Amino acid sequence: MTESGGVLGVIGAGTMGAGIAQVALEAGWTVRLHDAQPGAFDRGQSRIADGLRRRAAKRGLAFDAERAWIQGSLARLEECPDPVAAAAGADLVIEAIVEDIDAKRALFAQLDAAAGPDTILATNTSALSVTAIAEAATHPQRVLGLHFFNPAPVLLLVEVVAGARTDSTVLDRATSIVGGWGKTAVRSADSPGFIVNRVNRPFTIEALRMLEAGEARVAEIDAAIRGDGFPMGPFELMDLVGLDVNLAAATAVWAGLGRPERLRPSPIQAWLVAEGRLGRKSGAGFYRFGQEHDPVPDPIPHNVAVPVRPERALTPERIVRRIRAAIAEEAVMARDEGVATDLDIDTAMWLGAAHPEGPFAWLRRQARAAGA
Ligand code: NAI
């Protein structure tokens, strides 16, 4: 690694690979990018160029300075015909290919054989076991998880995940590299959902439980949560992310943790996915998205979600408390299982899930209020 930046290999030029490449280019690194699909590099390159233009506009650079900065950054982006070329001479290689264990294991065996002895190999997997991926390499001690969030150029969080045999110096070096790129690293154990995708599960699941029990309506829950300082409510979030994507994540974490009842995915969500109501991308989810008006709640049949019963109706304060408490309970469990420290969980929920404060900070505030 030189003062002006090191060399990063990126495998996969899709949403995450392009985003991560942009982050490293912005920090002055050289990026060697490989994608197996014809045309994917070009699409990734134009995505990176758009991202750099947006960044330059935000920085308020003058026209000439902006052009020079973008061209200078793109000049450090190289197309590689195969993973071997991307790994050769790299300080760090980050894999962001399809979320498939066999594909990732095959790639890591190849990368490990191609990379020099000091190269760190990282996976950006969201849900697979880092250990299972690392074991495909002859040197699993140099393999770790570096879990970026989407959009990678904007969101500051990176979960640094140790596999069973990852060397602690590799974790430290990777933490220092992403820190140099302006990211905030938190340490997570190699456990289902790592920190954010696990601790944030109750944000949507507890809201769905309220629908299942006829305790509140979709728009009331979203309004209550927004009123508490969250950028959007749980149903707005599911509509944005895609109900199918959210359900797949919920199911993976639930299954990975041994199918605990508290995290059981909701039949309401499964029904909506089966109906093709996937959120914004399909035009309807919990809300209906018309061209000419703001989204309006899309009715859910009474045999799927029971109507709100006046005697059970929750106030906005109770809605917020139930959801916050469920998240805090999951956070305490994750901490007690050794997934991460209180501080790292709070940081991760703040930077990775845009919570107004972390669950432990919220618990402390509740304790102070109760004692006052
Ligand atoms: P994507 O589908 O946008 O991009 C994947 C790219 O990898 C495609 O261009 C594809 O052609 C290429 N690819 C597939 N197999 C390959 C192989 N064997 N060798 C070389 N290139 C190959 O996927 P996305 O969303 O960028 O996700 C990539 C990884 O990042 C996945 O593991 C995903 O779970 C993870 N991730 C995704 C996030 C998201 O919000 N999209 C957030 C954090 C992690």
Side-chain angles (χ1 to χ4, degrees), residues 278-293:
L278 305 180
R280 280 182 185 271
K281 63 185 173 188
S282 72
F286 291 102
Y287 296 89
R288 198 176 315 136
F289 301 90
Q291 298 278 312
E292 65 293 338
H293 51 70

Side-chain angles (χ1 to χ4, degrees), residues 11-16 34-37 40 96-99 104 124-126 147-148 150:
I11 317 295
T15 309
M16 296 308 294
H34 165 72
D35 196 292
Q37 215 179 61
I97 67 167
V98 59
E99 185 78 335
K104 289 194 195 285
N124 186 47
T125 182
S126 320
H147 186 222
F148 288 74
N150 186 17

Side-chain angles (χ1 to χ4, degrees), residues 322-343:
R322 276 262 302 269
I323 291 176
R324 289 270 212 158
I327 293 168
E329 190 185 327
E330 199 60 45
V332 169
M333 268 187 248
R335 188 268 319 269
D336 290 349
E337 288 167 24
V339 173
T341 63
D342 296 17
L343 184 61

